Amino acid sequence: MTDGASFGGRRIYLLVGAVGAGKGTQADILSERLGLPHLASGDLFRRATREGTPLGEKAKGYMERGELVPDDVTIAMFMEELSKPEAARGAILDGFPRTVGQARALDATLAGQGEGISRVLYIEVPPEDLVERVSGRWVCPTDGTPYHLVTDPPRVPGICDKDGMPLIQRDDDKPEVVRARLAQQVPPMLEVIAHYEQAGKVSRVDGRGTIDEVTGRILDALGLGQAVS
Ligand code: AMP
C-alpha cells in the first residue's frame, strides 16, 4: 500500500498530535486543499449537545465531567459523519481515535464495510516546545482577542492593542497545567501511533517551523506535494 492509499476510492486520514502541535490548524488547511471534511470529535460533540440531538444528550454528561464519551457512541457519531455525501471522497479525522481501544473499534467497523484508514499523520513537536507554544498564549479579558508572546505579540507588552486592557493567561494555558495535560494525553496517543505503526500506516511529520512548512511536509508525506500546492 502506498501513502494516501484509498479504500473504495475514499481516503480517510487521521491527524494525530498533542495539545499545541497545530493539529486543528493543519486539519483545516488540509480539509480545504484536499476538499475533504474535517471531522473533529470535540467540535462534533459540542454541536450535537448544542442542538440537543439524541447523540448530544448521550454525550453531554461525559463532556461536562471532562470524561471520554463511551466508544460505541463516539464510533456511531463518526460512522454517521462518514456516511454523509460530503465524506463520499473521504475525510480528515481529528481527536479520534484517542485510545487504542477506539482505534481497534474504528478499524473493525471500517473493515466491516470494506474500508480502512488510509494514513495516520502524526505531527511531532518536542514536549518543551509544546509548553512554550501553549503557555505563550495570552488573551484580552474583555473581548477575547488572542495574542502569542513570541509569534503574535501585542504592540505594548501585556496590553490589548484594541482596548488597552491588561492581558490574562487562561488557567488551561499555564505551563504547569499544560505539562499535566500532556502527561495525561501523550501516553494513550503514543499507543494509538504504535497500533498504526504495526500496520505500516504512520507518517511522522516534524511539527516545528511555520504553518506552511508543516503543511508542506504533510502533503509530501501523502505524496501530494506537487499536486495541490
Ligand atoms: P476536545 O475538544 O477534543 O477537548 O473534546 C471535548 C470533549 O469531547 C472531551 O472532553 C470528551 O468528553 C469528548 N471527546 C472528544 N474526543 C473524544 C473521543 N475520541 N472519545 C471520547 N470522547 C471524546
Side-chain angles (χ1 to χ4, degrees):
M1 196 186 301
T2 57
D3 280 5
S6 60
F7 286 77
R10 162 150 113 149
R11 292 165 297 156
I12 301 177
Y13 298 130
L14 302 187
L15 215 49
V16 182
V19 53
K23 180 168 58 80
T25 306
Q26 295 297 336
D28 281 339
I29 296 171
L30 283 185
S31 166
E32 172 116 341
R33 295 260 193 120
L34 306 181
L36 301 176
H38 170 196
L39 305 179
S41 53
D43 292 347
L44 293 172
F45 280 131
R46 276 185 288 275
R47 192 180 71 199
T49 318
R50 218 174 31 242
E51 292 174 355
T53 65
L55 173 87
E57 289 306 312
K58 284 187 197 157
K60 199 171 171 197
Y62 297 97
M63 293 180 72
E64 281 169 359
R65 293 190 297 273
E67 294 169 11
L68 286 185
V69 177
D71 288 357
D72 56 337
V73 179
T74 308
I75 288 171
M77 174 180 76
F78 272 95
M79 295 318 288
E80 192 189 314
E81 291 297 320
L82 286 171
S83 72
K84 293 183 177 170
E86 302 89 286
R89 291 178 49 245
I92 299 162
L93 273 48
D94 167 5
F96 174 81
R98 232 173 239 205
T99 61
V100 113
Q102 288 189 345
R104 291 206 181 99
L106 175 67
D107 293 349
T109 310
L110 287 174
Q113 50 189 52
E115 295 193 287
I117 297 301
S118 304
R119 187 124 293 265
V120 178
L121 297 155
Y122 174 31
I123 307 183
E124 283 187 294
V125 177
E128 271 314 300
D129 289 20
L130 292 172
V131 174
E132 194 185 302
R133 277 190 192 184
V134 180
S135 61
R137 290 182 198 157
W138 288 71
V139 294
C140 173
T142 47
D143 67 8
T145 306
Y147 296 89
H148 192 281
L149 295 186
V150 181
T151 56
D152 185 22
R155 284 194 296 269
V156 179
I159 301 294
C160 179
D161 290 349
K162 293 188 186 159
D163 62 10
M165 286 293 286
L167 302 178
I168 55 159
Q169 190 175 40
R170 293 203 176 107
D171 283 347
D172 252 16
D173 293 343
K174 298 197 163 136
E176 61 280 14
V177 179
V178 180
R179 283 195 192 95
R181 281 163 77 195
L182 287 172
Q184 196 184 36
Q185 195 185 67
V186 170
M189 183 183 80
L190 293 180
E191 280 179 31
V192 170
I193 294 298
H195 168 80
Y196 285 112
E197 250 165 1
Q198 278 172 10
K201 292 196 174 186
V202 177
S203 293
R204 288 171 179 262
V205 175
D206 184 349
R208 292 171 298 181
T210 65
I211 291 174
D212 282 352
E213 282 166 349
V214 179
T215 305
R217 289 179 200 131
I218 293 176
L219 293 174
D220 283 347
L222 293 175
L224 298 171
Q226 298 306 317
V228 290
S229 60

